[in-house]
Amino acid sequence: MEIASIGQALPRYLIQAEHERPETMRDLATLLYQISLASKAIARELGRAALTGTLGMTGEVNVQGELVKKLDVLANEIIVEALEDSGLVSTIVSEELDEPLYLEKAGERAKYVVCLDPVDGSSNIDVNGIVGTFFSIRDRKGQGPDQLAADVLQPGTAQVAAGYVMYGPSTVFVYTARDGLHAFTLDPTLGEFLLSQEGIRIPARGKTYSVNEGNFHRWHPYTRRLVEHLRTIDKATDRPYSLRYTGSMVADLHRTLLEGGLFLYPADVDDPKKPTGKLRLLYEAAPAALVVEQAGGRASTGTEQILEIQPTSPHQRVPLIIGSPEDVALAEDFYQERR
Ligand code: AHG
Ligand code: MN
Ligand code: MN
């Protein structure tokens, strides 16, 4: 058994990336480091929440009509403060903020817009389940609060970097700055993220699908037929697939990246509040799509590429089918009536 190298700590890795690609990475490296620092503080709060009285609800409902947990608020405060402190961010879109936050005091250096899901999979918090953080970084386009829409409503293709943090048995920081996908595992004794996987590649096809199947009867017939296909026995095509679903997209995405397969949160034809599914474009689907595409995977609504969708509002939802390229292509065959 080899002792893990401590040479590839995240700060050093980012400095090296800055050295190799100064144009792109100069400030982006600092910003990614700042997000990683916030994530260490969030991991700390999650780890002791049962002891500090921070489990449970705040009693508030967010702009999307969902109950807010104490840790949603705490994590949002931690990460917003870290972003403000960097001096590099002009605008923040967060699941936990009704409106985009324009940082009045941000100066010339504040050239980024960051979209966030501070705690993804909140329903897992009170049962010590896996949760995550999504982040998505775009260049600022406008120069003032009146330019907010231009800054915030940029498609996923405009992301300069994106990633997620998974708070599981270990805390993992996964990011891409369009140079492949890299994972760093937190060594709690050092308090540092250390490189654990460089240039992650998703398998071309997997053996699992991941979806809230309790919604089966609310789905569009295309989705139902796809899922029925995946669970049909057929030796020649290695079916049925297994079902894995944690209720935290970060955790399901991480497994899908490493082992292949499909994750989906489809549209809900029965619920007028969810005609486009549940997941938010700017801070869930778009960062997930860039991450997966950087690993050789795909992300689609069934008919459109997630990264190409032009957002029309900050908390807009979108149906999502994401994962191994062959599995996403199979799903698209159902949605585009080729099967
Ligand atoms: P969030 O906790 O940020 O609101 O996100 C939860 C999302 C996602 O993580 C997960 O895949 C999905 O919602 C779970 O929803 P269901 O409980 O409807 O399956
Ligand atoms: Mn989420
Ligand atoms: Mn959330």
Side-chain angles (χ1 to χ4, degrees):
M1 206 159 49
E2 277 181 42
I3 296 171
S5 158
I6 58 163
Q8 293 284 335
L10 179 63
R12 187 183 146 215
Y13 192 87
L14 290 170
I15 289 169
Q16 183 65 28
E18 193 177 332
H19 184 70
E20 284 165 11
R21 296 194 298 149
E23 285 301 301
T24 322
M25 292 302 293
R26 186 170 297 118
D27 292 324
L28 200 49
T30 307
L31 187 54
L32 287 165
Y33 176 73
Q34 220 37 25
I35 294 171
S36 79
L37 184 62
S39 77
K40 287 194 269 187
I42 294 170
R44 180 190 63 197
E45 295 308 321
L46 287 166
R48 59 185 195 178
L51 308 174
T52 53
T54 43
L55 294 180
M57 307 291 178
T58 61
E60 305 285 306
V61 175
N62 69 15
V63 68
Q64 350 214 357
E66 293 161 351
L67 292 169
V68 177
K69 301 230 163 176
K70 291 178 190 168
L71 274 162
D72 285 325
V73 174
L74 199 56
N76 185 64
E77 284 169 5
I78 289 170
I79 197 157
V80 166
E81 191 184 333
L83 295 176
E84 277 194 80
D85 186 57
S86 73
L88 293 168
V89 178
S90 73
T91 309
I92 299 170
V93 175
S94 166
E95 184 191 346
E96 305 308 331
L97 299 172
D98 294 0
E99 300 291 334
L101 176 66
Y102 177 69
L103 302 176
E104 295 288 345
K105 281 187 264 166
E108 285 285 288
R109 286 181 63 234
K111 58 183 193 190
Y112 296 111
V113 175
V114 181
C115 302
L116 294 170
D117 180 357
V119 178
D120 173 65
S122 300
S123 68
N124 281 353
I125 287 176
D126 294 345
V127 296
N128 197 31
I130 295 175
V131 294
T133 296
F134 273 116
F135 57 89
S136 163
I137 306 173
R138 293 167 176 76
D139 284 328
R140 174 188 193 176
K141 295 279 176 225
Q143 287 301 326
D146 52 325
Q147 297 295 309
L148 217 54
D151 281 341
V152 167
L153 303 178
Q154 301 183 56
T157 45
Q159 293 172 104
V160 293
Y164 61 85
V165 188
M166 175 175 169
Y167 310 96
S170 59
T171 296
V172 189
F173 180 88
V174 180
Y175 87 91
T176 177
R178 295 185 164 275
D179 60 339
L181 185 68
H182 317 304
F184 297 79
T185 301
L186 183 63
D187 182 330
T189 62
L190 294 173
E192 282 288 16
F193 282 107
L194 304 180
L195 181 65
S196 42
Q197 274 172 296
E198 192 173 30
I200 296 171
R201 302 301 294 170
I202 191 171
R205 193 188 157 200
K207 292 188 190 139
T208 58
Y209 70 102
S210 189
V211 67
N212 185 342
E213 212 162 314
N215 293 330
F216 190 90
H217 292 288
R218 296 186 187 147
W219 293 337
H220 195 281
Y222 297 143
T223 315
R224 280 189 243 165
R225 286 187 47 238
L226 165 67
V227 168
E228 264 159 8
H229 174 84
L230 295 172
R231 60 192 197 188
T232 300
I233 298 172
D234 179 44
K235 267 201 176 144
T237 54
D238 225 359
R239 286 179 286 147
Y241 281 33
S242 289
L243 170 63
R244 295 281 184 275
Y245 191 71
T246 66
S248 165
M249 180 184 163
V250 162
D252 288 320
L253 183 69
H254 191 70
R255 184 198 54 257
T256 303
L257 272 165
L258 300 186
E259 295 188 342
L262 264 187
F263 170 86
L264 48 153
Y265 209 112
D268 185 337
V269 286
D270 250 19
D271 183 347
K273 280 191 298 200
K274 291 202 273 177
T276 48
K278 177 179 183 188
L279 300 173
R280 278 60 52 113
L281 175 60
L282 282 180
Y283 44 83
E284 291 175 321
L290 186 66
V291 157
V292 164
E293 291 203 3
Q294 285 285 316
R298 299 252 334 270
S300 168
T301 62
T303 52
E304 260 181 297
Q305 303 308 297
I306 294 290
L307 289 179
E308 283 165 14
I309 299 173
Q310 173 60 50
T312 52
S313 69
H315 298 289
Q316 160 180 3
R317 299 175 194 264
V318 70
L320 177 68
I321 301 166
I322 190 166
S324 291
E326 290 178 18
D327 289 316
V328 174
L330 171 76
E332 285 174 333
D333 282 348
F334 283 88
Y335 283 83
Q336 295 172 26
E337 298 184 343
R338 289 190 291 267
R339 273 177 182 264

